[in-house]
Amino acid sequence: AQTVTQSQPEMSVQEAETVTLSCTYDTSESNYYLFWYKQPPSRQMILVIRQEAYKQQNATENRFSVNFQKAAKSFSLKISDSQLGDTAMYFCAFMMRRFTGTASKLTFGTGTRLQVTL
Amino acid sequence: GAVVSQHPSWVICKSGTSVKIECRSLDFQATTMFWYRQFPKQSLMLMATSNEGSKATYEQGVEKDKFLINHASLTLSTLTVTSAHPEDSSFYICSASQQGRETQYFGPGTRLLVL
């Protein structure tokens, strides 16, 4: 079974600053995906970024980037130029890769509540 | 693209009644849909996975007779909470994915309160 650990229950960052959210996972699989989802107060889950484990290059989406360390089973999220709209709960999630390409279940971490302040 | 809707967004019911929650993929065909439950300030816990035209696969500890899931078409899955009790009060979220794609797109969730 896979486990995902987010060791920072809450974090705070000032607007325009950079913040890094930590995530570690445990799996015996070699082919998988990792995701960061954001859940703002509306509670709508929003995909922030995804990473395929077979790719060495770290994924980047505008102000969001990841540091994927496969050997260490670490997958941190860096948010640059933080904005007030980034205030949300952030969940790290793991998914096994199926060779049919279809989705399998997501295993979520416990989440990190990020507060962006003025 | 990849929009998922849920209906209703809020439901309050009396103990002992059944409640049906709909999950629809609006602009794609969802071969697989997932149902999650989230308690306040907690993470999402997967309840079951459903593939169109097949019986749902339930996670360990989830009562299949309590939480009935139907995925009769490529755009609609339903979750029925039968004989609801106050402990079933929670936030229920569905997600959907397309054939050949691994990304799950989430609905906005349904808040259930059982009195």
Side-chain angles (χ1 to χ4, degrees):
Chain A
Q2 286 68 231
T3 59
V4 178
T5 302
Q6 293 179 250
S7 58
Q8 305 153 313
E10 293 185 2
M11 293 194 74
S12 182
V13 63
Q14 284 193 318
E15 200 177 19
E17 297 295 309
T18 296
V19 64
T20 299
L21 308 184
S22 301
C23 173
T24 59
Y25 58 95
D26 190 24
T27 184
S28 57
E29 303 290 330
S30 57
N31 293 303
Y32 51 88
Y33 300 96
L34 294 163
F35 301 85
W36 279 98
Y37 280 92
K38 163 184 175 180
Q39 188 178 42
S42 68
R43 301 190 78 173
Q44 169 75 60
M45 294 289 284
I46 300 166
L47 176 64
V48 175
I49 200 166
R50 50 167 270 179
Q51 173 83 41
E52 293 93 337
Y54 59 89
K55 289 187 177 179
Q56 292 187 341
Q57 186 172 8
N58 289 323
T60 299
E61 286 287 341
N62 301 313
R63 299 184 293 109
F64 300 89
S65 61
V66 297
N67 184 2
F68 174 47
Q69 302 289 328
K70 191 172 184 179
K73 295 180 182 173
S74 170
F75 183 60
S76 62
L77 174 69
K78 185 171 82 171
I79 306 174
S80 304
D81 185 26
S82 297
Q83 300 175 359
L84 294 177
D86 296 333
T87 293
M89 191 74 149
Y90 286 81
F91 291 100
C92 178
F94 173 99
M95 178 192 289
M96 277 180 16
R97 184 184 181 205
R98 290 183 179 173
F99 289 98
T100 56
T102 53
S104 59
K105 65 180 183 181
L106 284 165
T107 300
F108 287 93
T110 51
T112 296
R113 187 171 302 279
L114 177 67
Q115 180 72 47
V116 180
T117 59
L118 290 170
Chain B
V3 178
V4 177
S5 70
Q6 274 184 248
H7 179 80
S9 55
W10 251 109
V11 57
I12 302 173
C13 68
K14 292 183 179 179
S15 185
T17 61
S18 293
V19 175
K20 181 183 283 188
I21 302 170
E22 291 186 349
C23 176
R24 293 183 185 273
S25 56
L26 298 185
D27 52 2
F28 66 99
Q29 293 187 326
T31 49
T32 308
M33 286 185 167
F34 302 84
W35 287 94
Y36 297 85
R37 185 173 179 176
Q38 185 180 32
F39 290 106
K41 299 188 178 183
Q42 293 189 24
S43 188
L44 281 73
M45 298 299 296
L46 180 67
M47 299 175 66
T49 302
S50 74
N51 292 294
E52 186 265 338
S54 304
K55 286 185 178 180
T57 301
Y58 290 81
E59 293 298 299
Q60 192 172 9
V62 177
E63 300 175 59
K64 58 183 67 176
D65 295 330
K66 174 78 170 174
F67 299 100
L68 300 179
I69 291 171
N70 183 278
H71 189 171
S73 79
L74 285 171
T75 59
L76 174 65
S77 177
T78 59
L79 167 67
T80 301
V81 184
T82 61
S83 186
H85 291 285
E87 58 266 28
D88 299 324
S89 297
S90 190
F91 191 64
Y92 293 88
I93 308 175
C94 73
S95 71
S97 65
Q98 298 171 266
Q99 177 70 34
R101 304 280 183 89
E102 70 289 333
T103 299
Q104 292 183 28
Y105 299 95
F106 285 81
T110 296
R111 198 179 306 265
L112 170 64
L113 178 62
V114 184
L115 302 176

